[in-house]
Amino acid sequence: MDNVKRLVSLLPAVLLLFAGAARATPEIQHWTTANGARVYFVEARELPMVDLRVVFDAGAARAPQLPGLASLTNGLLDQGAGGLTAQQLAERLEGAGAQLDLGALRDMAWVGLRSVTDPELLEPAVNTYLSVLGHPDFPGAELDRLRDQMRVALADERQSPGDIASKAFYDALYRGHPYAAHPTGAEESLRAIDRDRVIAFHHRFYVARNAVVAITGDLDRPAAEALAERVSGALPAGEKAPPLAPVAPLEAPLTVTIPYPSTQAHILIGQPGIQRGDPDYFPLLLGNHLLGGSGLVSLLSQEIREKRGLAYSVYSQFVPMAQAGPFLMGMQTKGDQAEEARRLLMENLRRFIAEGPDPVQLEAARDNLTGGFPLRIDSNGKINEYLSMIGFYGLPLDYLERFNQRLEAVTGEQVRDAFRRRLNPDRMVTVVVGGNGK
């Protein structure tokens, strides 16, 4: 504990020393462990810390018949492992000055660790982490407790028009596809999930060949290789999960209206968008930043919020995933203005697709994205998240290095062409929740 206090007391001075220093685009090193885990490593010597994240192809889409299983499995990892209770695991991590990070989405699940690199602290932190990663006990009492927590969260979501709209949107957009499975689960599926199903899901998907190991921090290559082998060695080799089925395009427009006693209507409109690594990603990213991805200065915000006062906030975004993630536009507006706001939203989208971006506005959007990019990689934790994404989706190793270069090469005509080919305003899902009561 004295070592922890000593290192913590030094960190503010170290942070001040490096605050504001320009961080060069990190060099990504890549290799594969003996039992098949793919490793992505960035050496960063500025701070005596290491960020480690293991990402598995083990999101909600891998259990579409039992929504919530992926999140429940992931959430139980630190609730008892290697014969230690949740409290004992937490005490060991606290004693080493380390932090654990768990999560599960539609595509992926992860187990992360942040630790100082002093061997007296890193060693117990890694040992505890390896227990959580590879030897969870899945105690029945903790499973029941976490399941009850998820049920309470579901009840809260049923009282939130925003959550209702989001679930209805994914249901309508991905009906019949694994992406329709909600990470937070459903009441019926949570009742059906028992300890045997949790163990089976963990045994199938939490394996080395289905994993990406991302390491960022104060380690040299040999030390990173040794750490990666220890991490992957805690897992069975297993097999990589097969690719998910492609997402079918919408054949016709679909409108879902859900009554809810609120004066505000929550509106989501969209369609299947793009995969990670899509060649249109940078034109669509730049165009969407101008259309509705840049907050109050976006075209949608200016037309709908500033000029007409129809919504407090309005946005658009592409959410690329392993298969086609959604393109969506969203806003909240008064119930008696919902149809006008929805019509105006679609009019602006059609105009943008037909005419393309204004050259001056496009350059401003480009400058905003490229100028803000250094902030996206200004910490080891942020770099580690990028490493996880690059590895999980199989993006090129020069993704970060060439990010701004790729944006700068995009022309206005490429933006217009990409939007015309990838979006069809006549085939969109529209979800409206509320706006019909007090």
Side-chain angles (χ1 to χ4, degrees):
M1 186 60 71
D2 289 340
N3 285 331
V4 174
K5 292 179 179 178
R6 174 171 55 83
L7 283 168
V8 169
S9 68
L10 289 174
L11 281 179
V14 176
L15 289 169
L16 284 173
L17 177 63
F18 289 99
R23 178 189 287 270
T25 304
E27 177 190 355
I28 300 174
Q29 302 179 54
H30 169 54
W31 66 90
T32 302
T33 66
N35 65 348
R38 291 165 292 144
V39 184
Y40 293 77
F41 169 57
V42 166
E43 184 175 340
R45 294 293 194 167
E46 293 91 345
L47 296 173
M49 302 191 72
V50 61
D51 284 273
L52 166 66
R53 176 178 286 199
V54 182
V55 183
F56 298 94
D57 190 340
R62 293 302 176 184
Q65 305 307 317
L66 286 172
L69 177 58
S71 294
L72 190 56
T73 301
N74 184 268
L76 283 169
L77 294 177
D78 65 344
Q79 296 304 300
L84 300 175
T85 66
Q87 181 174 346
Q88 289 170 329
L89 291 168
E91 289 173 350
R92 289 195 175 195
L93 289 167
E94 181 180 0
Q99 297 176 341
L100 203 63
D101 174 41
L102 306 172
L105 302 173
R106 277 182 167 80
D107 267 347
M108 66 177 69
W110 66 89
V111 187
L113 175 73
R114 169 169 288 183
S115 173
V116 294
T117 49
D118 183 316
E120 293 183 18
L121 300 173
L122 179 60
E123 187 65 20
V126 170
N127 286 337
T128 305
Y129 174 79
L130 295 182
S131 293
V132 170
L133 182 71
H135 306 286
D137 296 328
F138 299 120
E142 296 300 331
L143 189 155
D144 292 339
R145 182 184 61 80
L146 185 54
R147 179 166 43 204
D148 288 344
Q149 288 181 357
M150 294 177 69
R151 284 173 171 163
V152 170
L154 286 177
D156 290 341
E157 289 176 359
R158 289 192 289 270
Q159 303 303 314
S160 165
D163 288 331
I164 294 170
S166 178
K167 284 197 168 187
F169 179 79
Y170 274 87
D171 284 341
L173 195 66
Y174 291 112
R175 55 181 58 191
H177 189 275
Y179 280 163
H182 300 295
T184 53
E187 187 66 37
E188 317 81 66
S189 64
L190 288 177
R191 283 197 300 268
I193 296 172
D194 57 19
R195 185 171 181 271
D196 288 342
R197 284 188 168 95
V198 169
I199 291 174
F201 186 86
H202 183 266
H203 283 177
R204 170 61 187 92
F205 295 107
Y206 283 71
V207 296
R209 290 197 180 101
N210 200 41
V212 168
V213 180
I215 303 172
T216 307
D218 187 21
L219 301 173
D220 59 17
R221 173 67 180 258
E225 289 182 354
L227 178 59
E229 288 296 336
R230 288 182 65 189
V231 169
S232 64
L235 302 166
E239 294 297 333
K240 182 173 175 57
L244 294 171
V247 175
L250 295 173
E251 297 181 356
L254 175 64
T255 298
V256 179
T257 302
I258 302 175
Y260 190 86
S262 63
T263 58
Q264 290 282 309
H266 291 248
I267 301 175
L268 292 176
I269 302 175
Q271 64 178 72
I274 58 172
Q275 298 173 251
R276 280 286 177 189
D278 191 290
D280 284 328
Y281 173 73
F282 285 96
L284 292 174
L285 172 66
L286 181 56
N288 182 74
H289 192 73
L290 172 57
L291 175 66
S294 51
L296 297 179
V297 300
S298 70
L299 293 178
L300 293 179
S301 184
Q302 289 295 309
E303 292 294 326
I304 295 174
R305 180 187 189 274
E306 299 299 326
K307 292 183 180 180
R308 295 168 178 84
L310 292 177
Y312 179 75
S313 66
V314 57
Y315 65 91
S316 66
Q317 62 182 146
F318 286 91
V319 186
M321 298 196 292
Q323 294 297 333
F327 165 77
L328 62 92
M329 302 181 293
M331 63 180 170
Q332 298 177 41
T333 186
K334 293 180 180 179
D336 59 3
Q337 299 176 336
E339 180 54 31
E340 180 185 2
R342 184 205 64 78
R343 177 185 55 78
L344 192 60
L345 193 65
M346 293 304 298
E347 283 182 2
N348 278 276
L349 176 63
R350 290 179 187 276
R351 184 181 305 114
F352 189 82
I353 291 173
E355 300 176 1
D358 174 87
V360 175
Q361 294 174 333
L362 188 68
E363 286 308 307
R366 191 197 316 273
D367 290 344
N368 185 262
L369 280 173
T370 56
F373 181 71
L375 296 178
R376 301 186 185 190
I377 55 171
D378 66 354
S379 72
N380 289 355
K382 292 178 182 179
I383 292 173
N384 199 250
E385 289 184 16
Y386 265 114
L387 286 186
S388 302
M389 181 194 72
I390 289 167
F392 185 83
Y393 292 111
L395 301 179
L397 294 182
D398 65 357
Y399 180 85
L400 296 178
E401 180 183 351
R402 296 190 59 201
F403 187 91
N404 278 358
Q405 179 183 343
R406 290 185 170 108
L407 274 176
E408 289 164 354
V410 174
T411 66
E413 181 54 36
Q414 287 173 331
V415 170
R416 178 172 176 268
D417 176 63
F419 269 77
R420 290 185 68 184
R421 286 186 291 100
R422 307 311 290 265
L423 297 182
N424 185 344
D426 295 323
R427 294 182 181 180
M428 294 229 169
V429 167
T430 300
V431 175
V432 182
V433 176
N436 54 346
K438 296 182 179 180

